[in-house]
Amino acid sequence: MSQSLDRALTLLSGLAREPKTLDQLAEEIGVHKSTVLRLLRTLETHHFVRREGQRYYRLGSALFDLAQQALEDRDVRRTAQSALAGLNARTGHTVHLASYEDGEVVYIDKFEGRHSVRMYSRIGKRAPLHCTAVGKVLVAAMTPEKQADVVSRIDFFVRTPNTITTPEAYEKELALVADRGYAVDNAEHEDFIHCVAAPVRGPGGVVLAAASVSVPKVLLDYDGLMALVPELIAAAEEASVHSGWTGNRKGKLE
């Protein structure tokens, strides 16, 4: 990667967190302000960055357009939308749609719950495979060869006291997920949130994505969460039918 491109991408990542001044951006990437200013002017010309007042810079509209185009390019997001919106409306809880990308979960759609408890997730956000219900669903659906490779690359870092921390325990969990058709995150990623997830399939039964229902523990206990599983599976199967699935439950994530 060229040095200029690397710096420009670093600037965009910095601005994604909050608006910043020229001085702050120069300090962040460790170069002179004149270099940063040249990069910012180029990014501003293409609407990737815009100036806010006299001092601050923030992300521009071109990035949001690109992000929307990238999301719309994922057919499963469109085809699953009505089923997952219905699940969200019926339960009142947060519903996610997530896919696998480069060793992580990527949230590609989200329907906010009616409660006010804030969650980690947002569209485009990445999350670990080993401590999320959607991650377990996606890895459980892989071929044995791919699954072994993916698991070997996971850093089993601890997020909560319930996080799975060894490959052996994770492989046992994946077998359970594959057998019962859904996965549980029992406060493994965030200690105040638990969720259940199920696969969204496409033609031939291939798993395209995972759908989940996430609920703050203060609003619903574990038994209440498990009571949502039939509703979740029904919605995931409806989304699967809209995505081209014809009833073969033995598909794998390629």
Side-chain angles (χ1 to χ4, degrees):
M1 185 185 297
S2 75
Q3 192 175 59
S4 293
L5 178 57
D6 183 63
R7 287 170 175 171
L9 293 174
T10 303
L11 288 176
L12 293 175
S13 296
L15 291 174
R17 294 188 289 273
E18 61 182 349
K20 293 184 178 177
T21 66
L22 179 61
D23 288 340
Q24 289 173 320
L25 292 169
E27 183 178 354
E28 193 165 291
I29 65 173
V31 297
H32 194 272
K33 288 190 292 184
S34 62
T35 301
V36 177
L37 188 58
R38 284 196 299 273
L39 291 170
L40 288 170
R41 283 174 175 165
T42 300
L43 292 169
E44 194 174 6
T45 298
H46 294 278
H47 306 291
F48 287 102
V49 166
R50 67 180 176 86
R51 226 150 93 179
E52 187 175 74
Q54 294 298 312
R55 299 183 61 226
Y56 287 90
Y57 291 86
R58 65 163 59 243
L59 294 181
S61 59
L63 271 176
F64 303 114
D65 289 341
L66 285 175
Q68 186 63 32
Q69 289 175 40
L71 287 169
E72 290 301 329
D73 208 33
R74 294 176 183 255
D75 288 344
V76 67
R77 182 173 183 257
R78 289 197 300 270
T79 54
Q81 197 165 56
S82 62
L84 300 189
L87 176 63
N88 168 254
R90 289 190 299 274
T91 65
H93 299 307
T94 300
V95 173
H96 294 106
L97 183 67
S99 63
Y100 172 84
E101 187 174 297
D102 298 331
E104 293 178 295
V105 166
V106 179
Y107 294 105
I108 58 176
D109 214 346
K110 181 179 182 180
F111 302 84
E112 294 284 358
R114 292 195 285 269
H115 50 75
S116 59
V117 179
R118 185 176 180 181
M119 295 189 182
Y120 161 94
S121 61
R122 65 173 183 272
I123 295 174
K125 187 78 174 178
R126 292 174 176 266
L129 295 169
H130 70 291
C131 56
T132 55
V134 286
K136 294 175 187 178
V137 165
L138 294 169
V139 179
M142 293 174 179
T143 61
E145 297 78 14
K146 183 169 183 178
Q147 185 181 112
D149 180 61
V150 168
V151 172
S152 72
R153 298 171 188 271
I154 292 176
D155 178 7
F156 288 89
F157 55 90
V158 177
R159 297 295 297 256
T160 79
N162 291 348
T163 302
I164 293 172
T165 58
T166 67
E168 294 76 17
Y170 189 57
E171 287 166 354
K172 184 177 180 179
E173 179 83 353
L174 294 176
L176 181 61
V177 171
D179 181 61
R180 67 188 180 189
Y182 68 90
V184 181
D185 163 6
N186 185 18
E188 298 165 45
H189 184 229
E190 297 178 278
D191 58 11
F192 61 96
I193 301 286
H194 53 190
C195 65
V196 286
V200 175
R201 302 176 185 275
V206 172
V207 174
L208 304 174
S212 70
V213 179
S214 301
V215 192
K217 292 166 64 178
V218 297
L219 297 182
L220 198 66
D221 63 13
Y222 186 80
D223 289 340
L225 179 72
M226 291 299 98
L228 294 174
V229 169
E231 184 104 39
L232 166 69
I233 290 176
E237 290 186 352
E238 180 187 347
S240 297
V241 170
H242 293 321
S243 301
W245 179 61
T246 56
N248 173 21
R249 296 177 63 91
K250 299 185 182 298
K252 294 293 183 181
L253 183 67
E254 300 299 340

